[in-house]
């Protein structure tokens, strides 16, 4: 799923030119620890030359948003010229992130907004070019978007993801970098993944069901998947910490994560998202507060209550309220403005101080009105 989890301060001295290292840092301060009210901007909006950034800044002012998360793209499709992989640029010669950040960095009252960056871990183009990097399901089906566990743990895909996070940190110095679409479910049963599983767990084979197929719900497999992703996040954290002059140490590293609505505190180990394991490597988790199916805004307060009761440090969670909804609701395919307002309120409970709304492309005038009522200066 997309999420949006999430995350990306501009100085007047910034110039959009190459070489980029001749310019002042685009984003220059860590995300502050107080209440964060963010709006996430999808990659298509970031890279669209028709985006009215001045109008968006006015919306953010009125809504009382304190931060903006800009989607920086994928390792194979970037929002700027990445010197290491220039062929990946969405529009060669244009730094869309710098342009957006300059426009959104400061509100009309002079207050500085935090800006985060979002990295999408999907690699569909890469898989088309080299199917061997794709994850493999238990029945042999190859993934279209996701790399294998082995690729993430010790392959070129994982190495490039780490390099991309480091490049974003060095180039922009955002308050936060959040990695989205980093899941390991279904497509982690290739022969190389079995060898990795054996090496990491000491087991001779996958846990299997009575019919002999891998037991995808196995606790052991869930823990292994979570450790694979935590290992990748740990490498990203180390790469940021190793940036010259310590410039990456104040950049928060976050990972998007799903919610188990029946047992929120356990995370979603089947997807490689045991929260306690991931939080050993990531600074924050951006939880997908997406109200699909039978879920209602009030369920978000129950999620935060369960997390708090389990003893989690609630300052390490962002609740990302998604505007997507089933086609059966009215309006079809998106969360109603009334539910958005209630969801934002219910998400900011039991110690959660960081809430995001995603994606910008689905925001309506009514949604902005609701956020102004909940977050705005007069709320």
């Amino acid at each position: 799923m997309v999420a949006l989890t999430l995350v990306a301060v501009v100085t007047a001295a910034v110039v959009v030119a190459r070489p980029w290292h001749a310019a002042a840092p685009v984003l220059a301060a860590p995300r502050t620890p107080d209440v964060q009210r963010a709006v996430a901007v999808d990659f298509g909006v970031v890279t669209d030359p028709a985006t009215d950034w001045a109008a968006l800044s006015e919306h953010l002012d009125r809504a009382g948003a304190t931060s903006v998360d800009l989607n920086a793209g994928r390792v194979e499709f970037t929002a700027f010229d990445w010197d290491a992989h220039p062929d990946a640029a969405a529009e060669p010669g244009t730094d869309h992130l710098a342009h957006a950040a300059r426009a959104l960095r400061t509100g009309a009252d002079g207050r500085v907004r935090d800006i985060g960056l979002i990295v999408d871990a999907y690699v569909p183009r890469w898989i088309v070019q080299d199917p061997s990097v794709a994850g493999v399901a238990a029945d042999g089906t190859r993934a279209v978007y996701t790399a294998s566990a082995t690729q993430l743990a010790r392959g070129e895909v994982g190495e490039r993801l780490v390099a991309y996070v480091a490049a974003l940190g060095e180039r922009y110095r955002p308050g936060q970098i959040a990695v989205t679409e980093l899941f390991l479910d279904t497509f982690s049963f290739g022969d190389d993944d079995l060898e990795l599983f054996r090496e990491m767990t000491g087991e001779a084979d996958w846990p299997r069901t009575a019919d002999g197929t891998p037991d995808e719900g196995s606790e052991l497999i869930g823990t292994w998947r979570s450790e694979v992703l935590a290992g990748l996040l740990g490498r990203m954290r180390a790469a940021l910490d190793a940036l010259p002059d310590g410039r990456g140490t104040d950049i928060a590293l976050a990972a998007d994560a799903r919610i188990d609505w029946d047992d929120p505190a356990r995370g979603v180990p089947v997807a490689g998202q045991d929260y306690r394991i991931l939080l050993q490597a990531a600074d924050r988790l951006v939880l997908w507060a997406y109200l699909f199916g039978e879920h209602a805004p009030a369920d978000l307060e129950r999620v935060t209550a369960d997390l708090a009761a389990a003893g989690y440090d609630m300052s390490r969670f962002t609740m990302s309220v998604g505007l997507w909804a089933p086609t059966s609701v009215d309006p079809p395919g998106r969360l109603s403005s009334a539910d958005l307002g209630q969801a934002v309120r219910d998400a900011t409970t039991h110690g959660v101080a960081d809430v995001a709304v995603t994606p910008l492309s689905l925001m309506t005038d009514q949604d902005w009105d609701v956020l102004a009522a909940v977050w705005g200066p007069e709320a």
Side-chain angles (χ1 to χ4, degrees):
M1 184 64 206
V2 294
L4 334 133
T5 183
L6 288 193
V7 260
V9 239
V10 176
T11 66
V14 171
V15 292
V16 182
R18 298 190 73 190
W20 63 265
H21 51 73
V26 175
L27 313 174
R31 177 161 294 205
T32 52
D34 55 355
V35 173
Q36 290 291 331
R37 297 161 174 170
V39 173
V41 185
D42 11 5
F43 185 79
V45 177
V46 170
T47 57
D48 186 348
T51 297
D52 189 339
W53 296 111
L56 175 55
S57 187
E58 292 176 3
H59 276 306
L60 295 169
D61 278 339
R62 180 168 173 266
T66 63
S67 54
V68 183
D69 294 326
L70 304 173
N71 194 309
R74 302 168 175 166
V75 294
E76 59 182 21
F77 199 47
T78 66
F80 66 98
D81 290 304
W82 184 14
D83 287 349
H85 299 280
D87 57 331
E91 185 179 356
T94 300
D95 189 333
H96 293 282
L97 295 176
H99 180 68
R102 281 204 309 275
L104 301 178
R105 172 70 175 93
T106 307
D109 61 359
R111 294 184 183 179
V112 173
R113 300 188 186 109
D114 288 328
I115 297 184
L117 299 177
I118 302 170
V119 173
D120 185 329
Y122 278 165
V123 287
R125 290 185 174 184
W126 196 333
I127 289 172
V128 169
Q129 296 168 357
D130 182 4
S132 71
V133 305
V136 179
D139 65 2
T141 303
R142 287 192 174 271
V144 175
Y145 292 98
T146 57
S148 68
T150 304
Q151 273 293 322
L152 296 177
R154 56 187 55 169
E156 189 179 354
V157 173
E159 291 176 356
R160 195 172 300 184
L161 281 166
V162 172
Y164 193 46
V165 167
L168 290 171
E170 184 170 15
R171 181 181 181 108
Y172 300 109
R173 298 185 67 185
Q176 175 172 287
I177 297 176
V179 187
T180 189
E181 308 296 0
L182 192 59
F183 309 115
L184 271 181
D185 52 356
T186 305
F187 299 103
S188 63
F189 291 106
D191 292 341
D192 55 348
D193 290 341
L194 178 55
E195 288 303 313
L196 181 66
F197 176 80
R198 288 170 172 162
E199 179 181 329
M200 291 179 64
T201 67
E203 298 291 319
D205 192 14
W206 305 114
R208 295 185 180 272
T209 61
D211 64 5
T213 58
D215 182 3
E216 299 193 46
S218 161
E219 181 178 343
L220 181 59
I221 290 178
T223 298
W224 166 71
R225 287 169 167 169
S226 299
E227 289 176 346
V228 168
L229 295 187
L232 176 60
L233 291 166
R235 290 156 57 200
M236 292 175 176
R237 179 69 268 167
L240 289 173
D241 291 343
L243 291 179
D245 303 321
R247 69 184 65 177
T249 58
D250 288 334
I251 300 172
L253 177 67
D256 281 18
R258 297 170 181 164
I259 294 173
D260 182 333
W261 295 89
D262 296 322
D263 187 3
R266 74 189 296 264
V268 188
V270 71
Q273 296 185 336
D274 182 311
Y275 294 170
R276 296 194 187 279
I277 293 176
L278 295 187
L279 285 170
Q280 294 175 20
D283 300 300
R284 306 181 59 79
L285 295 181
V286 180
L287 303 189
W288 281 6
Y290 301 168
L291 302 176
F292 296 133
E294 302 300 318
H295 304 306
D299 292 329
L300 296 178
E301 194 275 337
R302 180 177 57 81
V303 169
T304 62
D306 284 359
L307 293 172
Y312 284 102
D313 178 352
M314 300 301 285
S315 70
R316 299 182 69 185
F317 291 106
T318 297
M319 298 295 284
S320 178
V321 177
L323 293 172
W324 304 275
T327 56
S328 59
V329 303
D330 185 22
R334 68 174 311 281
L335 198 67
S336 71
S337 296
D339 280 348
L340 168 63
Q342 192 59 51
V344 168
R345 291 185 181 94
D346 288 334
T348 317
T349 51
H350 299 284
V352 172
D354 199 333
V355 176
V357 174
T358 185
L360 174 67
S361 61
L362 289 182
M363 291 283 289
T364 66
D365 288 341
Q366 290 76 20
D367 293 336
W368 287 113
D369 290 343
V370 164
L371 287 187
V374 178
W375 285 349
E378 300 179 4

